[in-house]
Amino acid sequence: MRTDQPLLRRTDSASTRSFSEPDRPSVIIVDDDPSVQEALSELILSASLKPVCFASTQELLDAGVLDSPGCLILDVRMPGSSGLDLQRYLAQSGFPKPIVFLTGHADIPMTVQAMKAGAVDFLTKPVRDQTLLDAVNAAIAMDTARRAKAAVVERNVDRLNTLTPREREVSHEVARGRLNKQIAFDLGISEVTVKLHRGNAMRKMQAGSIGELIRMWESLPARMQDGTAN
Amino acid sequence: MWTQTLFQYRLALAIGASAAGVAVSWMTATPIGLVAPVAAIFLFARGGAVAVLFSVLAIALAGLVIATSFNLGGFRDLTLTWAGFFVVALCIGAIVAVSATPGADDHQTAIRPTAQKVAPSYPVTGPTPEEKAAPRQSPIVSINAQDDEITAELMLAASFWGGSPFHLRYWRNEPNGNCRWTEVRTEAFHEQNGIRQWASVSADLHGQRSEVPLPAKTASSPPVDDDAVIAAKFVEQLLGNAWAFDRSGRPTYLTPFAQAFVSVTLDEFQAAADEGLSFFRRTSHPDEYDHIDAAWRHSLRTGDPFYIERRIRRASGIFDWNRTAIVPTRDGHGRVTGWYGASMDLDAYRVAELALRERERELSQLVDMVPSHLWRLTPDGEPVFYSKRMVEYLGQDVADADERCIGRLEALIEAIHPDDAAKFRSVLDRCLLTGKAFSMQYRLRRADGIYRWMSSRAEPMRDQDGRIVHWYGLCHDIDDQMQAEAAIRQRERSLRQLVETLPALIYCATPGGEPIYRSQTLQDFLGLGLEETDETDETGRPRLAGTLDAIIHPDDLLTVKERYGQSLSTGEPYALRHRLRRFDGEYRWVETRAAAMRDPDGVIAQWNGVCLEIEDQVRAEEELRQVHDRLARASQAASLAELSASIAHEVNQPLAAIVANSHACHRWLSAEPANVERAKITAERIIRDANSAADVVSRIRALFKRSTESRSATSYSDIIAEARQVMADEFVRHSIHLDIEVANDLPLVKLDRVQIQQVLINLIRNGIEATDSNSGEKVLRIRVLRDEDVIRTEICDRGRGIACPERIFEPFYTTKDRGMGMGLAICRSIVESHGGRLWAQSNEPIGTTFSFTLPIEAKAV
Amino acid sequence: MTANEHIVFIVDDDARLREALIELLASHGMNAAAFGSAGEYVRADKPNMPACLILDVELPDINGLDLQRQIVEGDHPPIVFVTGHGDIPSSVRAIKHGAVDFLTKPFNDAELMAAIHAALDQDRERRAELAELNELRQRYLRLTPREREVLALVVSGLLNKQAAAELGISEVTLQIHRRNTMQKMEAASLADLVRMAERLEIPITHSRRAGGERT
């Protein structure tokens, strides 16, 4: 790891930058060694990416940037909590930011755990610039893809939320594959009403076909799939 | 004149007259006209024909007379006429016959020697057989007159020796006492082998003799009272030839010899004179004629004696030098009455003179062309001759000194370089005095002022009494040579200087190695020169050995002697690093290199060597080596990290098994019901694996504990024997036959006994294990042999073989069920630290051979 | 295939460890088969049952990770790597390429068993899924070409009318085809069929709405 980098505190500018450009993926660096932060920031900048540095996990959490697009570069051993813990926390909290671990001291069990838990890569210091950049880029790509997916889901959810409860019910039944007749029977409404509701629902969900509707329905988070409003 | 003309046409005339006569006869019907043809027949008939004609006529006449006497009537006039005719014819015949005898009338034609267009036919005579048989001195036989004989002999002699034709008419004495006028012609012709042969013809001229003076005029022929002739005869008696002329210069007498000499007769000479040509015309060289003629006329006019040397044409056509002297005879009043003289052949004299002159010219040319100075001195030392070259060089000749009024020798010494002049003078004086040869080198000034070195030698020429007549000297330019020598000397000096100033210690030795030269630097270094170690030193050792002992470090002495000796004997260049003792007793590292210097035949003439001080270099290398060692140790530490990882891995292996087994054991025991059997088995395995783990650890420790200090020269065969003993029962236990072959002449090797035994045992054990697993022939083969400068040990098994012959030497690699894989790695490191190699090769068809080498001696520095 | 059928493959060049592992697995009541090299394992006939592979990284003939890369293409049991001296890059690589776990020797019992179980479960799942997919594929293969066409159109969301028009057949015919398809595919509902189509990766060619969104 490069330790011969000049000491320049770019953190602030980097941070401000990150806030002013919410859409650009940022690479969040968490390391208590300023020179390391420095070096990594340089490297990330050289790849035309946006580095954001924090000295500890707590700082990171306090900053509340976990929703932002990008990835994380973590060390396993940090003041406060370990990188693995953070990884677990993030997974649990629903911040699925991809993590690239970079550490000077690791053993295999730790590595394996981190990887099993979904880390994009686990690198040991000293690391070649290119290796780190490759991992970062892979992480960002993953993040972007996931976000895109999530966006779709969110859109679906939003649309779902525009449905009336009845429409929702009907949709649910349709997604299950039941025929209009059957739905009418189950819900105790007329078939015509069913059709009406179905049509509205389809319209609101912007589903072009039953197939689409079914797919959309399946992409919803599980808790929303039961047809009842959450 | 007119008779001559008639004579030429006589035949025609005769025929014409005859014809006319016949015509007349016919016309007149009388035999009158027949007189003409009869007369012609008598004239032209010869010898026997005449007699026949006479006979015919006589018979005819007799017949007619008889006829007349018988008086046969009317034929009487006719017979009378015819009888009368026959009588007249007979008379004519008689008259003609009479006129043929000597003293005949001048219808006889004279034979002129110069106009012989028609060859007359003569009865050819020669010596009669009686004459031939008679012994005689002269080839001339029976010449009538005494004079003739002498003349003829002279002429013959002249002809014989001169090769000119011999032509003589003479009176020949016949055996019957008659004389016949005879002509003889003799000419020479050359046979192919160069021998002259003579052909001779004699002709009887008796019928043609005339009173006209004959060609070979004898002494009696000329006017006997002519003064000139008399004088000429006197001269002739002295010299053999003489001439006489009358007052006008017309030759009157000429000896036959002279005539023969030039093959011109007196007549011809006279004829020439008559024609107005000078007597000398015919015989003189065309170039000289005018000059001679003028002189002769002058003499004739003035009465001055005529002396001339001229070329005279001989009968053979060759011109010879001749001196002619003709003086006048005078009467009592002093008037010239005639001339007489003689010629002498100057040819030989001339030729000799010419040859002499030619030789003289050649000699002088030789003297002038020789590229040295030739000079001659009088016995007093005065120069009398300088050769042309010398004159050119000096710019002065011998005589020039005279003009300057200084002694000639002084003039010469002037030209000698001032530094050499005095010596020259003294040396020359001594030589002149003692008569010993002179030899000296000095500088001589050239005409342009440049001095050049000369080498001069002179020797005296003595006469019969031993007195010195002249001194003859040769002076030879050696300036270029001197310059060259000086240059060589200079170069030699500078080379020597070079050798002396080079920062190397240089020496030369004989082909036997004895030092013959040490450069100054070497002498200074050693503190001793060559003289100090004389042929044998105090202990009686020869110079070379003594020297080496004195100056080579004791530790290196053996090697030096051996190597040097080897080089001396093979002629190979010598190079060695060793320590040399300096003058102050300290030993310094030097690198000595020597090479042989050979003559054109390739034989070693001398060894030339150089010692370079490399003390500093050696020190530096030593330091470097130490640094390397330190570095190696440091890097050893670095690789330790890697090694520890390997070790950890290696230890983990048995540990993993142990842990797994432990878990298993625990489970068996925890099962319901407890499976004690399995638990036991598991527990045993735990123990076993734990032990092997412990083994690993100890072996690792051993790997790092090895040291290199305990090496000593050991008998390798002893070690083999010991190893064999140690492994003996293992062989027995596994029923393996050991086939061992150890070379006899193994030298001592410096090695760590324990370590090498470790290697051997390890390899043997591996071999045993490999062979053990083999179902076939159970043989383990060990061979130990010397391979140039290493001892090679080979252990061959017929086991399974190994797939990766290189990998097995890696630490912690093993193909065995048990064993850690350290053994071979350790073995290799032991072997390599001894300077050898350890490797494995697969055998065909099965098995493996492990080979390792151990160097016999540490490489000499 | 019974529920608990399984086989644990062990590939390690250390015989001791093979021995011990078999023992350990036996004590857990699990079946194991051991091989000394990758080649041996690859060449061996393997039973068709849920399996997992305990693979040593340092094998004599090939690196375990390379073997992983080789067999990952095909049908292979999940891998649990074991190693005597592992390094982090190896472990990362192993997990990235889908290994269930990466254990260092000596490993403890619990770890190992957990990994094995996880692997076996994973394998079971995979097999099940594979079986399902195969089943679907089989069903699909039973469809006639026309029926396949119909399927594609129907799951795209086209109404019967539209689909029939598209195919140039009568609606009635279409409905017949549709019914047959659903039967053959054993789809209970349109939703089912849609899901099946998705799983079979049948391309969706149409949407009722031009430029409609795809999900």
Side-chain angles (χ1 to χ4, degrees):
Chain A
M1 197 58 183
R2 294 177 305 181
T3 52
D4 53 345
Q5 300 299 315
L7 262 120
L8 280 173
R9 285 205 69 89
R10 287 224 210 175
T11 325
D12 297 325
S13 56
S15 311
T16 28
R17 235 189 299 142
S18 78
F19 295 132
S20 60
E21 301 172 45
D23 291 321
R24 218 173 123 205
S26 56
V27 177
I28 298 171
I29 300 163
V30 183
D31 199 308
D32 58 343
D33 187 344
S35 57
V36 170
Q37 287 182 10
E38 206 44 58
L40 288 176
S41 300
E42 282 295 323
L43 182 60
I44 298 304
L45 279 170
S46 74
S48 316
L49 293 168
K50 202 170 61 171
V52 181
C53 298
F54 298 100
S56 69
T57 350
Q58 198 52 51
E59 269 188 47
L60 168 65
L61 293 173
D62 290 347
V65 294
L66 290 168
D67 276 342
S68 61
C71 65
L72 274 173
I73 299 180
L74 294 184
D75 197 335
V76 278
R77 210 182 290 175
M78 290 180 296
S81 50
S82 80
L84 296 177
D85 289 339
L86 182 58
Q87 182 185 33
R88 196 169 28 244
Y89 170 78
L90 288 174
Q92 281 171 357
S93 325
F95 295 115
K97 227 180 204 353
I99 300 174
V100 174
F101 279 97
L102 177 65
T103 183
H105 21 252
D107 56 29
I108 289 174
M110 185 193 300
T111 309
V112 170
Q113 184 187 349
M115 290 303 293
K116 282 207 289 195
V120 172
D121 214 334
F122 197 106
L123 305 168
T124 46
K125 296 177 190 175
V127 70
R128 283 176 56 224
D129 290 352
Q130 196 52 47
T131 317
L132 182 59
L133 283 178
D134 289 344
V136 163
N137 283 325
I140 287 174
M142 269 178 66
D143 187 62
T144 311
R146 187 193 54 76
R147 279 176 180 277
K149 267 213 185 96
V152 170
V153 170
E154 199 172 316
R155 181 206 66 188
N156 289 345
V157 166
D158 287 343
R159 289 185 193 159
L160 187 72
N161 286 338
T162 62
L163 290 171
T164 66
R166 188 55 105 188
E167 283 163 355
R168 224 167 133 154
E169 268 184 280
V170 168
S171 306
H172 171 66
E173 291 303 306
V174 166
R176 274 178 62 206
R178 293 177 73 79
L179 298 167
N180 293 345
K181 266 210 283 289
Q182 289 164 325
I183 299 170
F185 182 74
D186 283 346
L187 294 180
I189 50 179
S190 70
E191 211 174 317
V192 173
T193 320
V194 169
K195 275 196 192 161
L196 184 68
H197 286 313
R198 183 173 144 162
N200 287 340
M202 294 271 285
R203 194 171 30 84
K204 283 182 184 174
M205 292 295 285
Q206 294 181 43
S209 66
I210 298 291
E212 267 188 69
L213 183 68
I214 292 168
R215 273 194 289 279
M216 277 185 195
W217 199 265
E218 302 214 321
S219 73
L220 293 170
R223 57 186 165 84
M224 297 188 117
Q225 282 190 16
D226 63 352
T228 58
N230 52 334
Chain B
M1 284 297 178
W2 67 274
T3 48
Q4 286 184 342
T5 318
L6 275 177
F7 170 72
Q8 286 174 1
Y9 294 106
R10 66 183 191 277
L11 186 61
L13 194 64
I15 291 167
S18 306
V22 168
V24 162
S25 215
W26 192 73
M27 275 173 15
T28 58
T30 57
I32 298 291
L34 294 178
V35 170
V38 165
I41 291 167
F42 269 116
L43 266 174
F44 289 105
R46 295 279 178 272
V50 170
V52 167
L53 194 58
F54 268 122
S55 314
V56 165
L57 286 171
I59 290 165
L61 180 64
L64 276 173
V65 165
I66 290 166
T68 310
S69 66
F70 279 108
N71 206 10
L72 287 174
F75 295 107
R76 192 152 176 243
D77 287 320
L78 189 67
T79 51
L80 226 83
T81 315
W82 279 100
F85 164 70
F86 283 126
V87 168
V88 170
L90 280 167
C91 291
I92 291 169
I95 293 163
V96 169
V98 165
S99 74
T101 54
D105 35 292
D106 52 354
H107 81 269
Q108 173 88 15
T109 55
I111 297 169
R112 300 241 179 258
T114 54
Q116 296 180 8
K117 289 195 182 83
V118 178
S121 61
Y122 304 111
V124 177
T125 68
T128 61
E130 295 85 8
E131 288 164 347
K132 270 202 198 160
R136 62 186 189 280
Q137 269 88 7
S138 162
I140 307 290
V141 290
S142 315
I143 296 189
N144 199 10
Q146 187 74 11
D147 320 302
D148 285 340
E149 195 165 344
I150 293 168
T151 308
E153 283 201 35
L154 283 171
M155 284 176 67
L156 188 67
S159 160
F160 182 78
W161 290 112
S164 55
F166 175 72
H167 176 202
L168 183 67
R169 288 201 181 132
Y170 64 99
W171 288 104
R172 189 160 183 281
N173 287 330
E174 305 225 285
N176 57 9
N178 291 341
C179 294
R180 292 192 70 80
W181 188 236
T182 313
E183 177 177 338
V184 63
R185 281 182 179 271
T186 305
E187 281 190 7
F189 62 92
H190 288 270
E191 286 285 88
Q192 274 162 338
N193 50 6
I195 297 172
R196 218 181 261 165
Q197 299 227 345
W198 298 90
S200 181
V201 172
S202 290
D204 188 274
L205 294 180
H206 202 69
Q208 275 80 39
R209 188 176 181 281
S210 69
E211 292 301 336
V212 175
L214 297 168
K217 200 146 172 72
T218 64
S220 56
S221 322
V224 293
D225 57 350
D226 191 85
D227 290 339
V229 172
I230 293 163
K233 286 193 182 179
F234 280 123
V235 170
E236 184 191 354
Q237 281 176 4
L238 288 171
L239 298 176
N241 74 82
W243 300 339
F245 306 86
D246 65 12
R247 204 183 0 204
S248 66
R250 188 171 181 277
T252 53
Y253 176 74
L254 193 63
T255 63
F257 179 76
Q259 291 175 64
F261 190 71
V262 296
S263 129
V264 180
T265 60
L266 185 58
D267 295 338
E268 288 163 349
F269 276 127
Q270 286 175 338
D274 293 337
E275 285 169 19
L277 295 169
S278 165
F279 157 69
F280 301 101
R281 177 73 178 184
R282 282 180 67 95
T283 57
S284 296
H285 194 277
D287 297 342
E288 296 171 349
Y289 174 68
D290 292 329
H291 164 70
I292 293 167
D293 187 50
W296 174 236
R297 292 193 194 282
H298 170 82
S299 291
L300 286 175
R301 234 188 5 260
T302 58
D304 285 340
F306 176 73
Y307 292 121
I308 201 138
E309 285 183 11
R310 64 183 179 113
R311 278 171 286 181
I312 191 170
R313 184 170 54 188
R314 292 191 34 192
S316 58
I318 298 171
F319 283 97
D320 286 338
W321 280 98
N322 200 282
R323 172 195 270 258
T324 303
I326 302 177
V327 296
T329 52
R330 298 178 190 270
D331 61 10
H333 302 289
R335 281 185 304 225
V336 174
T337 55
W339 296 83
Y340 72 99
S343 328
M344 282 180 298
D345 182 50
L346 280 187
D347 202 68
Y349 176 70
R350 252 311 152 96
V351 163
E353 193 186 3
L354 274 174
L356 193 68
R357 211 166 289 153
E358 178 64 25
R359 204 157 60 243
E360 192 185 310
R361 197 184 56 79
E362 274 178 18
L363 269 171
S364 119
Q365 199 177 37
L366 185 75
V367 163
D368 285 335
M369 288 307 294
V370 160
S372 289
H373 303 166
L374 299 165
W375 43 274
R376 202 171 72 212
L377 307 176
T378 63
D380 302 324
E382 188 176 313
V384 291
F385 169 74
Y386 295 155
S387 74
K388 190 163 114 194
R389 294 260 183 166
M390 188 161 178
V391 169
E392 276 172 14
Y393 182 89
L394 289 174
Q396 55 161 322
D397 202 343
V398 179
D400 293 347
D402 300 340
E403 284 169 32
R404 289 164 45 207
C405 302
I406 59 172
R408 288 184 177 179
L409 187 58
E410 290 305 317
L412 179 61
I413 291 177
E414 253 187 14
I416 293 176
H417 195 278
D419 296 342
D420 305 324
K423 185 165 172 221
F424 178 84
R425 197 192 291 273
S426 73
V427 170
L428 183 64
D429 286 343
R430 195 165 52 244
C431 289
L432 290 172
L433 200 64
T434 60
K436 288 225 170 69
F438 168 85
S439 170
M440 193 183 160
Q441 290 176 350
Y442 51 84
R443 279 158 287 183
L444 192 63
R445 192 182 57 219
R446 204 163 56 183
D448 59 3
I450 309 288
Y451 281 98
R452 290 181 72 81
W453 277 98
M454 299 283 173
S455 171
S456 214
R457 304 182 77 84
E459 283 183 15
M461 188 183 86
R462 297 170 191 277
D463 62 11
Q464 282 161 318
D465 303 321
R467 276 198 299 266
I468 293 173
V469 176
H470 275 124
W471 282 86
Y472 285 91
L474 178 81
C475 187
H476 177 66
D477 189 322
I478 54 164
D479 196 79
D480 296 330
Q481 197 178 321
M482 290 293 250
Q483 305 279 20
E485 275 176 24
I488 288 173
R489 265 196 297 277
Q490 174 58 34
R491 205 157 47 238
E492 194 186 303
R493 253 201 306 282
S494 47
L495 266 174
R496 188 168 284 270
Q497 208 176 10
L498 177 75
V499 162
E500 292 304 336
T501 54
L502 277 176
L505 316 173
I506 299 172
Y507 71 91
C508 302
T510 64
E514 303 294 323
I516 48 177
Y517 166 74
R518 291 205 178 115
S519 73
Q520 195 54 46
T521 40
L522 179 59
Q523 291 186 26
D524 294 341
F525 180 91
L526 293 175
L528 44 84
L530 281 180
E531 313 75 42
E532 319 223 347
T533 54
D534 210 326
E535 283 304 319
T536 59
D537 61 9
E538 342 43 90
T539 62
R541 284 174 298 180
R543 187 193 263 175
L544 174 64
T547 310
L548 288 180
D549 288 344
I551 61 175
I552 308 285
H553 191 280
D555 290 347
D556 304 324
L557 195 57
L558 256 167
T559 319
V560 168
K561 278 189 179 169
E562 191 195 310
R563 286 281 191 89
Y564 199 49
Q566 200 179 357
S567 284
L568 288 176
S569 59
T570 60
E572 292 289 304
Y574 165 80
L576 190 65
R577 285 188 178 190
H578 60 87
R579 279 156 289 186
L580 197 63
R581 188 182 179 283
R582 205 166 55 176
F583 61 87
D584 58 0
E586 193 179 309
Y587 285 97
R588 307 281 289 171
W589 277 100
V590 295
E591 179 161 342
T592 304
R593 285 171 180 272
M597 189 171 78
R598 293 170 192 272
D599 63 14
D601 299 322
V603 175
I604 295 174
Q606 193 173 292
W607 281 89
N608 298 325
V610 115
C611 287
L612 289 164
E613 242 199 86
I614 52 165
E615 179 70 36
D616 301 327
Q617 194 176 326
V618 166
R619 282 281 140 77
E621 279 175 17
E622 190 57 53
E623 274 182 30
L624 192 66
R625 203 195 330 253
Q626 284 174 5
V627 167
H628 268 154
D629 282 349
R630 268 181 265 137
L631 195 64
R633 278 196 288 276
S635 62
Q636 218 175 16
S639 69
L640 217 62
E642 290 177 11
L643 198 59
S644 71
S646 302
I647 291 168
H649 165 79
E650 199 51 41
V651 170
N652 276 338
Q653 290 285 91
L655 277 181
I658 290 165
V659 165
N661 277 321
S662 307
H663 282 301
C665 185
H666 177 80
R667 284 191 69 83
W668 289 133
L669 291 173
S670 312
E672 297 290 337
N675 191 333
V676 176
E677 274 310 307
R678 296 301 293 260
K680 266 209 224 165
I681 293 168
T682 325
E684 273 173 21
R685 289 182 184 152
I686 291 168
I687 294 164
R688 177 203 68 192
D689 293 342
N691 277 332
S692 81
D695 253 353
V696 166
V697 173
S698 62
R699 276 195 231 185
I700 290 167
R701 294 185 65 218
L703 174 69
F704 290 99
K705 248 205 343 194
R706 61 180 178 84
S707 63
T708 59
E709 276 78 40
S710 52
R711 286 202 195 160
S712 56
T714 323
S715 160
Y716 191 67
S717 22
D718 282 355
I719 294 181
I720 299 276
E722 273 185 31
R724 188 181 179 171
Q725 235 178 355
V726 163
M727 301 298 290
D729 13 303
E730 291 220 22
F731 281 113
V732 168
R733 206 155 8 112
H734 294 265
S735 313
I736 293 173
H737 171 64
L738 174 65
D739 173 14
I740 185 161
E741 211 182 285
V742 179
N744 287 336
D745 53 348
L746 294 176
L748 297 179
V749 185
K750 219 175 182 184
L751 46 78
D752 184 327
R753 197 191 194 84
V754 173
Q755 287 183 341
I756 297 298
Q757 274 197 342
Q758 211 174 337
V759 170
L760 278 168
I761 290 169
N762 201 335
L763 292 176
I764 292 172
R765 196 174 275 140
N766 282 347
I768 290 173
E769 283 178 21
T771 313
D772 210 18
S773 64
N774 180 23
S775 51
E777 205 187 338
K778 295 210 175 182
V779 171
L780 184 73
R781 208 161 135 257
I782 301 177
R783 272 175 67 222
V784 181
L785 44 89
R786 180 172 176 166
D787 185 6
E788 290 184 352
D789 55 349
V790 297
I791 291 179
R792 192 162 80 240
T793 310
E794 293 172 0
I795 297 163
C796 321
D797 66 62
R798 305 267 185 83
R800 286 169 302 177
I802 36 179
C804 323
E806 254 308 300
R807 248 197 107 178
I808 53 168
F809 291 104
E810 283 172 31
F812 317 120
Y813 179 88
T814 179
T815 59
K816 291 195 257 184
D817 290 340
R818 9 193 129 208
M820 194 194 64
M822 282 305 295
L824 285 173
I826 297 173
C827 290
R828 185 178 253 186
S829 70
I830 290 172
V831 168
E832 279 176 2
S833 78
H834 278 80
R837 277 178 57 226
L838 170 62
W839 72 97
Q841 277 167 303
S842 289
N843 286 343
E844 291 299 317
I846 50 163
T848 319
T849 298
F850 281 83
S851 313
F852 69 94
T853 58
L854 291 172
I856 290 172
E857 58 187 21
K859 307 225 182 297
V861 171
Chain C
M1 190 169 32
T2 58
N4 214 14
E5 236 180 16
H6 65 273
I7 179 83
V8 178
F9 298 115
I10 303 168
V11 181
D12 194 312
D13 60 341
D14 183 1
R16 283 179 305 229
L17 189 57
R18 288 203 296 271
E19 194 185 50
L21 281 175
I22 293 175
E23 191 67 42
L24 181 57
L25 286 167
S27 74
H28 280 279
M30 297 189 80
N31 306 323
F35 306 92
S37 71
E40 269 185 55
Y41 165 74
V42 166
R43 282 191 294 270
D45 288 331
K46 293 170 274 291
N48 184 16
M49 56 180 73
C52 84
L53 174 59
I54 301 178
L55 183 57
D56 187 7
V57 174
E58 297 84 33
L59 291 171
D61 49 357
I62 193 177
N63 183 290
L65 294 168
D66 292 333
L67 180 62
Q68 176 192 34
R69 204 175 33 174
Q70 276 182 20
I71 64 176
V72 80
E73 327 269 309
D75 173 21
H76 76 104
I79 300 172
V80 175
F81 277 102
V82 292
T83 179
H85 55 121
D87 56 81
I88 287 168
S90 303
S91 66
V92 171
R93 180 177 155 188
I95 304 294
K96 264 199 203 169
H97 288 103
V100 171
D101 215 335
F102 191 97
L103 304 172
T104 49
K105 302 174 191 175
F107 32 74
N108 72 43
D109 183 33
E111 267 184 5
L112 183 64
M113 296 319 296
I116 289 172
H117 284 301
L120 286 171
D121 288 343
Q122 189 180 315
D123 202 42
R124 276 191 203 95
E125 259 190 58
R126 184 184 63 89
R127 290 173 154 275
E129 271 192 33
L130 201 59
E132 263 191 51
L133 193 58
N134 273 340
E135 178 59 42
L136 279 180
R137 283 212 190 100
Q138 288 300 318
R139 292 179 198 164
Y140 187 74
L141 286 171
R142 277 187 255 134
L143 293 177
T144 67
R146 184 58 99 189
E147 284 164 354
R148 288 183 203 165
E149 281 179 308
V150 167
L151 174 64
L153 292 172
V154 162
V155 300
S156 304
L158 259 58
L159 295 174
N160 288 348
K161 185 162 57 223
Q162 289 163 331
E166 187 78 26
L167 290 173
I169 53 175
S170 70
E171 207 175 324
V172 172
T173 322
L174 183 94
Q175 280 178 350
I176 296 171
H177 284 313
R178 182 175 162 157
R179 193 166 38 247
N180 287 340
T181 306
M182 300 263 298
Q183 266 181 359
K184 284 183 185 177
M185 292 301 288
E186 293 173 34
S189 64
L190 178 60
D192 270 354
L193 197 65
V194 168
R195 281 189 213 97
M196 283 179 194
E198 216 158 278
R199 284 197 62 197
L200 285 168
E201 293 176 355
I202 293 165
I204 290 121
T205 52
H206 283 84
S207 167
R208 196 172 71 150
R209 224 182 273 184
E213 292 172 29
R214 308 242 192 281
T215 51

Coordinates of all heavy atoms in Angstrom, one line a residue, chain B residues 79 207 211 214 216 326 372 476 488 706 768 833:
Chain B
T79 N 90.0 -36.6 -164.7 CA 90.9 -37.2 -163.7 C 92.1 -36.4 -163.4 O 92.5 -36.3 -162.2 CB 91.4 -38.6 -164.2 OG1 92.0 -38.5 -165.5 CG2 90.3 -39.6 -164.3
G207 N 99.0 -26.6 -125.7 CA 98.7 -26.0 -127.0 C 98.3 -24.6 -127.0 O 98.3 -23.9 -128.0
E211 N 103.3 -16.4 -126.1 CA 104.5 -15.5 -125.6 C 104.0 -14.4 -124.8 O 104.8 -13.6 -124.2 CB 105.3 -15.0 -126.8 CG 106.1 -16.1 -127.6 CD 107.0 -16.9 -126.7 OE1 107.5 -16.3 -125.6 OE2 107.3 -18.0 -127.0
L214 N 102.8 -14.4 -118.9 CA 101.9 -15.3 -118.2 C 101.5 -14.7 -116.9 O 102.1 -13.8 -116.3 CB 102.7 -16.6 -117.9 CG 103.1 -17.4 -119.2 CD1 104.0 -18.5 -118.8 CD2 101.8 -17.9 -119.9
A216 N 101.4 -15.9 -113.8 CA 102.3 -16.0 -112.7 C 103.7 -15.7 -113.2 O 104.4 -16.5 -113.7 CB 102.3 -17.5 -112.2
I326 N 105.8 2.7 -98.3 CA 106.4 2.7 -99.7 C 107.3 4.0 -99.7 O 106.9 5.1 -99.4 CB 105.3 2.9 -100.8 CG1 104.3 1.7 -100.6 CG2 105.9 2.9 -102.2 CD1 103.1 1.7 -101.6
S372 N 80.7 2.1 -54.3 CA 81.6 2.4 -53.2 C 82.7 3.3 -53.7 O 82.9 3.5 -54.9 CB 82.3 1.1 -52.7 OG 81.4 0.3 -52.0
H476 N 83.0 2.6 -47.9 CA 81.7 2.1 -48.0 C 80.7 2.8 -47.1 O 80.9 3.0 -46.0 CB 81.8 0.6 -47.6 CG 80.5 -0.2 -47.7 ND1 79.8 -0.4 -48.8 CD2 79.8 -0.7 -46.7 CE1 78.8 -1.1 -48.5 NE2 78.7 -1.3 -47.3
I488 N 67.5 1.2 -33.6 CA 67.3 -0.1 -32.8 C 67.7 0.0 -31.4 O 67.0 -0.3 -30.5 CB 68.0 -1.3 -33.5 CG1 67.3 -1.6 -34.8 CG2 68.1 -2.5 -32.6 CD1 68.1 -2.7 -35.6
R706 N 22.3 -27.7 11.0 CA 23.5 -28.2 10.4 C 24.5 -27.2 10.3 O 24.3 -26.0 10.1 CB 23.2 -28.8 9.0 CG 22.7 -27.8 8.0 CD 22.4 -28.4 6.7 NE 21.9 -27.3 5.8 CZ 22.6 -26.5 5.2 NH1 23.9 -26.6 5.3 NH2 22.1 -25.6 4.4
I768 N 15.2 -48.6 -0.3 CA 14.7 -49.8 0.3 C 13.2 -49.7 0.2 O 12.5 -50.7 -0.1 CB 15.2 -49.9 1.8 CG1 16.7 -50.3 1.8 CG2 14.4 -51.0 2.5 CD1 17.3 -50.3 3.2
S833 N 25.9 -27.9 -0.1 CA 26.8 -27.1 0.7 C 28.2 -27.7 0.7 O 29.2 -27.0 1.0 CB 26.3 -27.0 2.2 OG 26.6 -28.2 2.8

